[in-house]
């Protein structure tokens, strides 16, 4: 049975996508802890990050690095990284644009219009 995140990659579940390449995919977390909270995932579905083959791990971390700089540029905030993985058994890295009011596990309530506005701001377009 494919994970929720594989269904998102395949377009079976909608998401606010900001980036995709041949090995990785990134979209807004549906329960954001800060504005721009993004999940970066490998297309290769494994539970834990350290189960990824090196090539997929390197691709994932390369996207994490690239999008962290991108988020910082777009939002003017340092990007924090968080790896938990206890809710969804498909490896992922949380990117959290830092906000001093941020508290781990406390979610913002955003409307679909607000999500879409953030998605448009953060959509990665290679220069
Ligand atoms: P973790 O497994 O790292 O504890 O948390 C998984 C994260 O995935 C949570 O922050 C949760 O809000 C997010 N998440 C779970 N299901 C969905 C979904 O269907 N769409 C999106 N965009 N995020 C999800």
């Amino acid at each position: 049975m494919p994970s929720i995140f594989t269904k998102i990659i395949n377009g079976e579940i909608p998401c606010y996508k900001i980036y995709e390449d041949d090995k990785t995919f990134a979209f807004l977390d549906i329960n954001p802890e800060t504005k721009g909270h993004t999940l970066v995932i490998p297309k290769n579905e494994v539970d834990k990050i350290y189960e990824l083959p090196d090539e997929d791990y390197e691709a994932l971390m390369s996207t994490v690095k690239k999008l962290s700089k991108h988020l910082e540029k777009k939002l003017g905030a340092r990007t924090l990284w968080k790896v938990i993985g206890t809710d969804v058994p498909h490896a992922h890295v949380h990117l959290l644009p830092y906000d001093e009011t941020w508290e781990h596990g406390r979610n913002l309530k955003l409307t679909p219009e607000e999500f879409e506005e953030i998605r448009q701001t953060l959509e990665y377009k290679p220069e």
Side-chain angles (χ1 to χ4, degrees):
M1 172 100 168
S3 73
I4 290 175
F5 289 172
T6 292
K7 289 183 180 172
I8 286 176
I9 292 168
N10 293 338
E12 295 161 43
I13 293 178
C15 74
Y16 297 94
K17 173 174 147 182
I18 67 164
Y19 179 83
E20 180 172 13
D21 62 30
D22 59 334
K23 286 189 169 293
T24 66
F25 193 95
F27 55 103
L28 298 180
D29 194 302
I30 206 66
N31 299 303
E33 293 181 15
T34 65
K35 183 182 164 188
H37 181 168
T38 295
L39 299 174
V40 186
I41 63 177
K43 289 187 173 175
N44 183 1
E45 181 186 328
V46 298
D47 180 358
K48 302 160 206 137
I49 287 181
Y50 49 86
E51 292 174 331
L52 283 169
D54 287 352
E55 196 186 338
D56 296 330
Y57 173 80
E58 283 156 20
L60 177 71
M61 295 316 287
S62 172
T63 298
V64 164
K65 178 178 171 182
K66 180 163 63 183
L67 291 184
S68 295
K69 290 182 178 175
H70 175 67
L71 264 53
E72 180 166 313
K73 191 169 157 195
K74 291 290 177 181
L75 298 175
R78 184 186 186 99
T79 302
L80 312 185
W81 299 355
K82 190 173 81 162
V83 176
I84 309 286
T86 49
D87 283 346
V88 179
H90 182 141
H92 53 279
V93 179
H94 296 253
L95 303 188
L96 291 162
Y98 181 67
D99 169 342
E100 70 235 356
T101 65
W102 167 66
E103 276 177 37
H104 171 68
R106 198 196 60 194
N107 305 124
L108 307 176
K109 299 287 170 236
L110 299 180
T111 64
E113 293 74 24
E114 288 169 325
F115 270 113
E116 178 54 22
E117 193 182 327
I118 296 168
R119 188 201 66 76
Q120 285 181 21
T121 302
L122 298 182
E123 186 178 19
Y124 185 89
K125 296 181 190 121
E127 283 154 23

